Amino acid sequence: MKLVAVSKFHPVSRLMEAYDAGQRIFGENRPQELAGKVPRMPADVEWHFIGHLQTNKIKLVLPYVSLVQSVDSLHLLEAIDRWGGENGRVIDILLELHLGAEETKHGLSEEEILLCCGKVPFPYGNVRIRGLMGMATNTEDEAVIEADFARIEALFNKIRAERPELRDTFTELSIGMSGDWPLAVRHGATMVRIGTDIFGPREY
Ligand SMILES: *Cc1c(COP(=O)(O)O)cnc(C)c1O
């Protein structure tokens, strides 16, 4: 399992402490902040983008990241594919499933994700779908969180079962944050995204 250290809002000095302790994967959710930190960290850091990404900001993000975890619309997927084509790259991404009830959360529906993964021939030649990402409902109620994780786990397994040709690349299930990662691990997480438990509280 991969540990993504979510370093948003923390200064590079704090990231370097984690780096010196052996951490190599860092997650950021704001394009400007990511672009500012990249040149100040060692070159072997692997950056993941985990926030809502507007299409007019992708050029600030795609040159630096090894994975965009938060592809939350087909419009964004198409824009990333186009950028990849123009820049001779294939971009690894996760599709973000909308979980939970909160209106403000971004994400694709199950139907949209199934449609997207089912397209034959796959129309996005400069994008590689590596799996799914989700954020569980923000609640203390473990039953609600479990239900969210069970839903994304089932979708992940369904796509792998129905599309054997994807099996070698569609391998990542990114679920679990500081408050709920033990539950996520029980539901098959291959990546957890941990901020607070590593760096302490963020100052907004
Ligand atoms: C901030 C953030 C996290 C980390 O949250 P913590 O509760 O601090 O561990 C994980 N995933 C996403 C998408 C985030 O925005």
Side-chain angles (χ1 to χ4, degrees), residues 6 8 29 50 133 135 177-179 193-196 202:
V6 176
K8 63 192 188 194
N29 73 340
I50 62 166
M133 185 271 243
M135 275 172 96
M177 307 171 28
S178 295
R193 310 177 308 270
I194 309 294
T196 310
R202 291 177 283 274

Side-chain angles (χ1 to χ4, degrees), residues 4-10 27-29 49-52 69-70 96 133-135 174-181 192-202 204:
V4 180
V6 176
S7 48
K8 63 192 188 194
F9 296 91
H10 293 291
E28 290 283 339
N29 73 340
F49 195 78
I50 62 166
H52 177 59
Q69 293 209 8
S70 45
E96 181 176 354
M133 185 271 243
M135 275 172 96
S174 175
I175 48 175
M177 307 171 28
S178 295
D180 57 21
W181 66 263
V192 290
R193 310 177 308 270
I194 309 294
T196 310
D197 277 1
I198 296 175
F199 297 107
R202 291 177 283 274
Y204 288 91

Side-chain angles (χ1 to χ4, degrees), residues 11-75:
V12 164
S13 58
R14 300 296 315 283
L15 277 66
M16 273 312 296
E17 290 173 11
Y19 180 91
D20 287 338
Q23 181 64 28
R24 289 297 178 271
I25 310 177
F26 292 83
E28 290 283 339
N29 73 340
R30 297 188 300 182
Q32 228 90 34
E33 184 175 342
L34 168 76
K37 282 175 175 171
V38 168
R40 302 175 56 210
M41 289 289 291
D44 64 342
V45 165
E46 202 183 300
W47 297 95
H48 291 190
F49 195 78
I50 62 166
H52 177 59
L53 182 55
Q54 290 172 301
T55 52
N56 63 352
K57 298 275 169 63
I58 61 178
K59 59 184 177 297
L60 281 176
V61 169
L62 297 185
Y64 309 119
V65 297
S66 61
L67 184 66
V68 181
Q69 293 209 8
S70 45
V71 173
D72 55 10
S73 73
L74 294 182
H75 177 62

Side-chain angles (χ1 to χ4, degrees), residues 115-190:
L115 256 170
C116 185
C117 293
K119 284 186 178 172
V120 182
F122 189 66
Y124 312 114
N126 291 88
V127 163
R128 195 160 56 160
I129 303 176
R130 300 300 316 276
L132 301 180
M133 185 271 243
M135 275 172 96
T137 309
N138 187 10
T139 173
E140 300 282 294
D141 187 345
E142 290 210 347
V144 173
I145 298 171
E146 287 251 38
D148 283 344
F149 287 157
R151 191 152 77 79
I152 193 170
E153 181 185 26
L155 181 64
F156 178 72
N157 289 334
K158 178 180 166 75
I159 292 167
R160 282 179 54 79
E162 289 180 356
R163 300 297 309 277
E165 72 278 18
L166 288 182
R167 227 170 260 164
D168 289 343
T169 48
F170 193 90
T171 53
E172 303 297 337
L173 182 58
S174 175
I175 48 175
M177 307 171 28
S178 295
D180 57 21
W181 66 263
L183 283 177
V185 171
R186 274 199 262 140
H187 283 280
T190 66

